[in-house]
Every structure is written in C-alpha cells, then in structure tokens.
Amino acid sequence: MSARKRIIQVLGLVAVGGLSLGLAACSGGADDGGSAGGDGGGSDELISVGFVAVGPEGGWRQANEQNIKDTFTKEAGYDLSYAPAANLDQKSQIDNFTSFVDEGVDVILLSATEATGWEDSLKRAQEAEIPVILLDRGIEPEDTSLYVTRIAPDNVEVAKEVGAWAAAQFPDGGNYVVLEGPAGVGVVNERNKGFEEGLGDSSLNKVDAQTANWSTEEGKSVLETMLKANDNDIQFVFAQNDEMGLGAAQAAEEAGLAVGTDIKIATIDGTKNAMQALADGKLSYVHEYNPLFGETALDVVTKALAGEEVDPYIIVPSEEFDSAEAAKAVLADRKY
Ligand code: AHR
C-alpha cells in the first residue's frame, strides 16, 4: 500500500478513534487516548513524490528545482524522483508523468513545458487517485477538478507592475519591443496580458515582439535585428525573463545605446545576475518571480494527502526593483 493510501487510512482510523474518544469523553469514560486510532499509525515509510520537471533552462529554473529537491528530502519523509524533460520536450514529460502514475507514486509535482496537451495524463492520475500539483506553469484548460492547485507568483500581476512602471517612465510615449519566452508556454501569454493591462492608456508604441526562448544569446541577437530594422529607434525593451534582458543589454551596448538614457530594459525573474546588472545600470528594472516556494509545495502535499481543501491557485509573493539602489540593498542576501 502506498504511503498516500496509508495516510488516508490512518487519518480515517484517527477520525474514528477521535469520534470514540469524543463519545468516551462525553460519557465520562476516561481513555488514555493511546488506544483508539492507535498511535496515529505513524509510519517510517517515505511519501513518494514524482517531480515532472522542466530541467536545465536558466537561472530561475535551476533555483526553483533545487529548492524543491532541498525541501522534499528523505529526512523530511519524502522520496522525491526528479524527472527533467529531455530538451524541454513535452512528450518526455508526458512519458515521465505516465511512468509515475504506473509506479503508483503518492503525489505528482508538474512544471509543464507546454500549456496544452495534459488532459489525458491528468485524467489517468485522477483515476489512480494520485493528486497532481502544478508548480510555476499553468495549463489549459484551467480545470481544477484535474489538479489540486497551481503554486506560482501571479504572472499577470507581475507583468502589470512592469507595464505600469514602463508607462510612468515614458509619459510622452516611445517605441518598445517585447522579447518573449517560447511559444506555447503558459506564462508568456499571462505576461503579455499583464504588461498590456499595466501600460493602460500609455502612448508607448509596440514596434515588434518575438521569442528569444529565455536565452541570453537569443535575446542579444533578436534585439540586434530589431534595432537594425528600426534604425535604433527603440526606447524600451520588455524582456519576459532575466536571461533575455541581459542579452538585450549586450545588444544595446554594442549598438552604442546607453541603458538608462537612450534605452530602458525591464526583466522578470530577479536572479542574481539580473540584480547585479540592475545595480550596475545595465538593466533598468527587474521584477522578481520568486522561485523559492518549496515549503509551500510541501504544505500543499501534506494537505492534499490528508484530503484537506486547498486553494486552487496559491500566489507566491514577489517584489519589484526599480533602481540600482534597490538592487544593491538586497544583493548581499540574495538566495538565488
Ligand atoms: O515559467 C517561469 C519562467 O521560466 C521564468 O521566468 C524563466 O526564466 C523560466 O525559464
């Protein structure tokens, strides 16, 4: 019997035990509390966790996945199986997901490389009574009957704050471009939606938007092309993650544009490299997308296995940093 099923059984016994204890108390019967429901049926068996992960993708991903591994340890009572995607390929994730269902793990953690194509896998896990918890990435449709919850910072709100900051920086408008994450990844649409909401009625004018696949090298080459196509007449870059923004900073410098005066660059994630670049004036704004939510995930797993209610979307708080001084103030203590 898997640890999950045993926990639910033990909790059932404890509930029955509690009821009998309660009844005993009502009837004045003393009970040492040690018999009904036993000693809580504690077990030294580990709770098996299948982590369908993204794998190597950049600084944010490394911090997020390491935090999960550091939280779900054997000492904490978990047997975590880490299954990164092969080259960000969704099919490898679906294969890993299916293997975990077939193994009968107690719970699955899923960070999806693609937003769609998960219904069959989630239904299989549901039939096997294996709770699924989404980490970071949302999936479509948002059918919360098929998964326990999504744990992530709120991409729409994060990007909305980026948009509001950009609008305030350019009261007289200007031209901007967006460096997006890979097509098909849920957070890309959420960040575009939030950014445009944050811009409000700003007269900033979008002249281009392209994916640079979360990569510094592509961020640099894509912005180089955009600058050439617009004769350097671009005043603002919204890079949907730090690595692309750092690439954009390199492209701006090579085009002879001074970040902060000729062009401003805003990014999302808040990794050390970006915060150092912000402190050095190579970026203009960084919004954290806090990856360190392992303890929250562990709490959710505990509740899910105990059959307790869990909110369908658990927002991880994240801060914005809009100046070199703000970055310098936190750099020394940065955990990722
Ligand atoms: O889903 C979160 C995004 O994925 C991060 O912003 C990016 O750095 C990562 O690759």
Side-chain angles (χ1 to χ4, degrees):
M1 178 187 292
S2 76
R4 170 172 49 89
K5 289 192 170 71
R6 190 177 51 261
I7 285 175
I8 291 172
Q9 185 197 56
V10 163
L11 286 164
L13 287 173
V14 168
V16 169
L19 183 61
S20 59
L21 275 177
L23 291 176
C26 288
S27 61
D31 186 299
D32 63 11
S35 54
D39 59 359
S43 158
D44 54 6
E45 267 194 51
L46 301 173
I47 294 170
S48 55
V49 181
F51 182 13
V52 180
V54 171
E57 192 185 47
W60 188 92
R61 187 65 55 197
Q62 163 62 23
N64 176 254
E65 296 190 349
Q66 190 56 51
N67 182 242
I68 295 296
K69 293 174 188 172
D70 293 347
T71 305
F72 288 86
T73 60
K74 288 188 166 51
E75 295 71 29
Y78 295 87
D79 179 15
L80 181 80
S81 298
Y82 171 67
N87 303 314
L88 305 176
D89 169 55
Q90 181 183 34
K91 184 185 180 308
S92 66
Q93 284 204 311
I94 291 173
D95 292 345
N96 291 334
F97 190 104
T98 302
S99 300
F100 285 137
V101 172
D102 293 344
E103 283 169 37
V105 295
D106 295 310
V107 62
I108 291 175
L109 306 178
L110 170 61
S111 292
T113 56
E114 301 281 343
T116 55
W118 287 102
E119 294 91 325
D120 291 346
S121 301
L122 291 170
K123 283 179 182 144
R124 283 201 60 190
Q126 193 174 54
E127 285 157 12
E129 298 178 336
I130 298 174
V132 177
I133 294 160
L134 304 184
L135 303 185
D136 168 27
R137 301 274 176 77
I139 57 174
E140 295 160 14
E142 289 180 6
D143 178 355
T144 54
S145 69
L146 289 175
Y147 53 86
V148 174
T149 189
R150 174 187 181 189
I151 305 172
D154 184 332
N155 284 284
V156 173
E157 283 308 310
V158 165
K160 202 169 176 178
E161 290 181 5
V162 181
W165 177 85
Q169 293 297 310
F170 296 95
D172 302 322
N175 292 331
Y176 79 91
V177 295
V178 183
L179 300 178
E180 296 178 341
V185 172
V187 303
V188 171
N189 299 333
E190 292 170 339
R191 291 178 184 178
N192 278 328
K193 176 177 186 290
F195 180 74
E196 284 154 24
E197 286 176 8
L199 279 184
D201 58 3
S202 162
S203 47
L204 272 168
N205 169 44
K206 180 158 73 173
V207 295
D208 205 343
Q210 284 183 47
T211 185
N213 291 304
W214 302 135
S215 134
T216 296
E217 187 181 344
E218 285 195 48
K220 179 182 178 190
S221 61
V222 169
L223 185 63
E224 277 169 352
T225 305
M226 290 172 164
L227 287 168
K228 287 185 181 116
N230 291 277
D231 195 23
N232 278 5
D233 185 19
I234 294 171
Q235 285 73 48
F236 175 63
V237 178
F238 171 33
Q240 289 192 344
N241 90 323
D242 289 346
E243 278 84 359
M244 296 188 292
L246 292 168
Q250 292 172 15
E253 186 178 357
E254 289 185 12
L257 299 173
V259 174
T261 44
D262 301 324
I263 192 168
K264 293 185 194 289
I265 303 172
T267 78
I268 291 176
D269 277 346
T271 53
K272 272 194 185 114
N273 289 344
M275 296 300 278
Q276 187 61 62
L278 179 60
D280 297 343
K282 293 180 179 169
L283 291 177
S284 313
Y285 173 101
V286 176
H287 202 300
E288 187 178 61
Y289 181 74
N290 186 352
L292 307 180
F293 48 77
E295 286 302 325
T296 302
L298 190 144
D299 179 54
V300 167
V301 164
T302 306
K303 288 189 166 85
L305 292 178
E308 293 177 24
E309 277 300 303
V310 174
D311 288 342
Y313 188 175
I314 297 174
I315 305 291
V316 178
S318 295
E319 287 184 68
E320 61 180 332
F321 298 92
D322 61 3
S323 68
E325 293 67 32
K328 287 171 186 166
V330 300
L331 254 178
D333 301 332
R334 203 98 196 113
K335 292 189 178 66
Y336 72 98

